[in-house]
Amino acid sequence: MEQTLGRRGLLRGASTVLAASALPYDLAMAQAAPGTLRVGMTAAAVPLTNGVPDQGAEGHRFMGVTLYDQLVHWDLSKADAPAVLVPGLATAWKADPANPKRWSFTLREGVKFHDGKPLTAQDVVFSFDRVLKSDAPHFDQRAAAFGRVRIPTVASWEAVDERTFALETRTVDSTVPYGVSWIGIVHQAAWEAAGRNWDAYMNKAVGTGPWKLESFSIRERAVLARNADYWDAKRVPKSEKLVLIPLPEPNTRVAALRSNQVDFIEAPPADAVPSLKQAGFTIVTNQYPHNWTWQLATAEGSPWRDVRVRRGANLAIDRAAMKGMLGGLMDEGAGLLPLGSTWNDVPKFKWGYDPAAAKKLLAEAGVTPRTPLRTKIGISTSGSGQMQPMAMNEALQQMLKEVGIEIEFEVFEWNTLLTIWRDGWKAPSNRGITGINISFTAIDPFTAMIRFLRSDLTPPAGNNWGGFSSPEYDALIGRILSEFDPAAQDRLVSELHAKIVDDALFLFVAHDLNPRAMSRRVQGFVQARSWFQDLTPVRVTG
């Protein structure tokens, strides 16, 4: 698809390219009940309830850290500092000094699943089998699709005793604690009670989390109920129920909020924010480890293989205009992390808007408005962290056209885009695209950078979608994964990030300020500087 969007149109706002739509029929069923928090998600479907949900980080936010716990949690209680790892179902974890590939986790005592059964190390083994052991009777392909890429170095695991779980990696990997924070711990007996069938289990999901599943309809809603017996008394939910409703179209979310069909929405469109404020709704924003980029294929056969083309494209982006279009609800793209982040604190280089320099570089590569580069980019209509993807991508399309890069879009539903991302850029499912617009969380060295760059993490092993391969990068990544001292590791990760920016391996566009809109009746929400949020402190007043 292609749409011309001139500079004047770009600055008029996202409303020029976003169309309102009627409220879905099922919202009529979402009437408020006392003590109920109703959330309008950007996802097109309710995330899966299998402990490793789909729908990206949004799925983990609403179904991963609600129904389930992980061995390691994130501290989501603060708005004024980045989220950090804290004990979850494991009270402690460590790598063996004599064999740093082996990790042990000490399990918390007294934790019970929603069905009253105690947590044991065997349940943790079962949960890892479900993701990693293809020949296990309880292997879940859907959980594997989203979980394996989080812990790709894990080679073996075992229950040492009832309170100790251990795993071993193929290579030394200091990022293991971050990876296991994505793997929800499932109760084996609950899977057996569901007929040893993951499809049946989805409607009867059992975890140890602060919320219990009451009902699940993948295209309509999920209803979660307060777990009054949750092991962490400080995080017993203040609301009686949590209702999750998929509303992928931004103006539909706004209409649902205005009409009291929901209490809380993700990613309100920028042009709706002033009127929502005027009407008394609360708008909450915060910086977090977010990037909005195009991940570019750099393997043989891609037009982005030429560094002059990648650098020229980055110089053609008017990020200040994009920020104006979004009502200021973004920081200008400064890499894979916002400027001032731990790994982007004093950048060696920062891309600015310089169309003359862009044209010069592109001309050296044989690309001009008269001899344009024509290629396709995969984008979504909505999704976790995707901000306002249609408006933003159409603005980029016009900016790049002015310097000789003509873009055609392949538009996918968000979860479908994530699926083709796992296939790799040359897979037929990608329909010939050479870049993909997926915003992703940058919360740890592996998730932020390594999974896209290490040469042995091309699909299906990881998210090196575009086939990037560099011995120099591999060597630096190896040093990062072998470094257990946090300060020394930070220095190495900063070096890696600086190389990524200088080599323009992505089209760096924006860092979201994560706007959420909610009724004034919603109290107690603290917007963490994270992709994940804790809804347990939230209450809805009368």
Side-chain angles (χ1 to χ4, degrees):
M1 59 172 291
E2 179 174 352
Q3 175 170 335
T4 300
L5 185 65
R7 185 73 51 181
R8 187 174 299 172
L10 167 64
L11 296 172
R12 276 203 303 267
S15 60
T16 60
V17 290
L18 292 174
S21 64
L23 292 178
Y25 172 77
D26 76 291
L27 277 178
M29 299 165 58
Q31 298 304 311
T36 297
L37 172 64
R38 302 162 300 167
V39 177
M41 304 180 293
T42 67
V46 179
L48 300 178
T49 61
N50 60 0
V52 187
D54 59 350
Q55 304 291 345
E58 184 176 27
H60 195 65
R61 180 188 314 142
F62 288 121
M63 203 62 82
V65 299
T66 49
L67 289 182
Y68 294 95
D69 289 306
Q70 298 73 30
L71 292 172
V72 180
H73 281 182
W74 289 93
D75 180 0
L76 303 174
S77 64
K78 302 179 182 69
D80 58 355
V84 296
L85 293 179
V86 293
L89 293 180
T91 56
W93 55 90
K94 63 180 180 179
D96 185 343
N99 175 14
K101 292 189 288 186
R102 184 172 175 82
W103 291 77
S104 63
F105 296 81
T106 302
L107 299 188
R108 187 179 298 277
E109 294 187 13
V111 176
K112 293 185 178 181
F113 284 97
H114 297 152
D115 59 6
K117 303 292 176 59
L119 168 76
T120 71
Q122 186 53 48
D123 291 304
V124 183
V125 170
F126 174 85
S127 300
F128 276 69
D129 285 352
R130 161 206 51 174
V131 172
L132 297 175
K133 192 175 182 182
S134 302
D135 60 350
H138 47 281
F139 178 70
D140 179 1
Q141 181 58 54
R142 287 168 295 196
F146 292 93
R148 277 180 166 169
V149 295
R150 305 296 183 183
I151 48 174
T153 62
V154 173
S156 61
W157 52 97
E158 64 175 331
V160 177
D161 55 45
E162 194 171 276
R163 303 251 63 82
T164 309
F165 171 74
L167 62 80
E168 193 153 335
T169 56
R170 285 186 294 276
T171 57
V172 176
D173 184 353
S174 60
T175 69
V176 162
Y178 296 107
V180 300
S181 72
W182 293 90
I183 309 301
I185 304 306
V186 176
H187 186 22
Q188 180 172 352
W191 174 76
E192 292 171 349
R196 300 168 66 89
N197 181 289
W198 284 112
D199 287 335
Y201 171 88
M202 297 268 223
N203 296 304
K204 305 173 182 179
V206 173
T208 63
W211 302 90
K212 299 179 180 181
L213 185 66
E214 185 173 290
S215 65
F216 172 71
S217 176
I218 196 165
R219 292 297 172 189
E220 293 182 358
R221 75 190 60 250
V223 179
L224 283 62
R226 176 176 182 263
N227 180 9
D229 299 319
Y230 186 54
W231 57 266
D232 185 350
K234 299 187 299 297
R235 294 189 60 238
V236 172
K238 299 294 191 293
S239 296
E240 290 297 324
K241 293 190 179 181
L242 171 63
V243 180
L244 305 174
I245 303 172
L247 297 173
E249 204 285 312
N251 286 323
T252 301
R253 291 195 295 277
V254 171
L257 182 65
R258 287 184 177 278
S259 60
N260 192 32
Q261 306 276 9
V262 297
D263 309 295
F264 178 124
I265 63 171
E266 302 272 289
D271 59 335
V273 167
S275 63
L276 285 171
K277 287 181 178 178
Q278 189 174 21
F281 292 96
T282 302
I283 306 295
V284 182
T285 62
N286 204 353
Q287 188 185 74
Y288 70 123
H290 172 277
N291 60 69
W292 197 99
T293 66
W294 288 358
Q295 185 178 353
L296 306 172
T298 56
E300 191 68 43
S302 171
W304 305 106
R305 189 171 177 82
D306 190 325
V307 67
R308 297 170 298 183
V309 174
R310 300 194 304 269
R311 288 173 173 167
N314 271 285
L315 288 167
I317 304 307
D318 189 344
R319 296 166 182 84
M322 185 75 77
K323 184 173 182 176
M325 184 185 85
L326 295 177
L329 296 175
M330 61 162 269
D331 288 333
E332 295 182 30
L336 297 182
L337 295 126
L339 193 61
S341 301
T342 301
W343 305 318
N344 192 18
D345 191 24
V346 185
K348 296 178 181 177
F349 184 80
K350 187 175 184 293
W351 293 105
Y353 176 52
D354 190 339
K359 289 179 179 178
K360 183 175 184 296
L361 271 174
L362 289 165
E364 291 173 5
V367 177
T368 72
R370 290 188 176 183
T371 57
L373 183 160
R374 294 186 175 93
T375 192
K376 293 200 294 185
I377 303 294
I379 69 173
S380 67
T381 55
S382 65
S384 173
Q386 293 291 84
M387 303 175 70
Q388 308 302 327
M390 296 304 294
M392 295 172 72
N393 277 300
E394 287 168 355
L396 291 178
Q397 184 183 55
Q398 180 61 28
M399 292 174 188
L400 292 173
K401 186 174 183 178
E402 292 174 6
V403 297
I405 301 175
E406 296 188 1
I407 299 297
E408 178 185 350
F409 292 131
E410 284 286 344
V411 183
F412 301 89
E413 183 271 327
W414 172 233
N415 216 38
T416 303
L417 191 69
L418 291 175
T419 299
I420 71 165
W421 190 35
R422 295 193 304 273
D423 292 342
W425 77 287
K426 287 197 172 181
S429 61
N430 279 248
R431 303 180 193 170
I433 64 176
T434 63
I436 193 165
N437 170 220
I438 290 181
S439 56
F440 49 84
T441 179
I443 52 179
D444 65 83
F446 179 80
T447 306
M449 291 170 248
I450 293 170
R451 59 178 172 151
F452 309 109
L453 302 170
R454 209 165 92 173
S455 58
D456 63 350
L457 291 180
T458 54
N463 293 123
N464 185 349
W465 173 84
F468 180 77
S469 182
S470 164
E472 184 181 0
Y473 275 79
D474 283 346
L476 178 53
I477 288 168
R479 291 169 62 199
I480 292 169
L481 294 176
S482 300
E483 181 57 72
F484 287 80
D485 177 70
Q489 187 183 79
D490 283 344
R491 288 192 292 272
L492 291 170
V493 178
S494 297
E495 182 181 340
L496 177 63
H497 186 264
K499 285 177 64 62
I500 293 167
V501 174
D502 186 49
D503 289 335
L505 295 180
F506 297 73
L507 188 69
F508 306 110
V509 180
H511 305 292
D512 191 13
L513 293 182
N514 212 6
R516 293 180 166 92
M518 56 198 75
S519 163
R520 69 182 73 184
R521 295 182 299 110
V522 174
Q523 303 292 321
F525 177 65
V526 176
Q527 180 144 305
R529 288 173 59 180
S530 171
W531 281 64
F532 316 126
Q533 301 295 325
D534 186 3
L535 297 179
T536 63
V538 179
R539 62 189 184 280
V540 182
T541 64

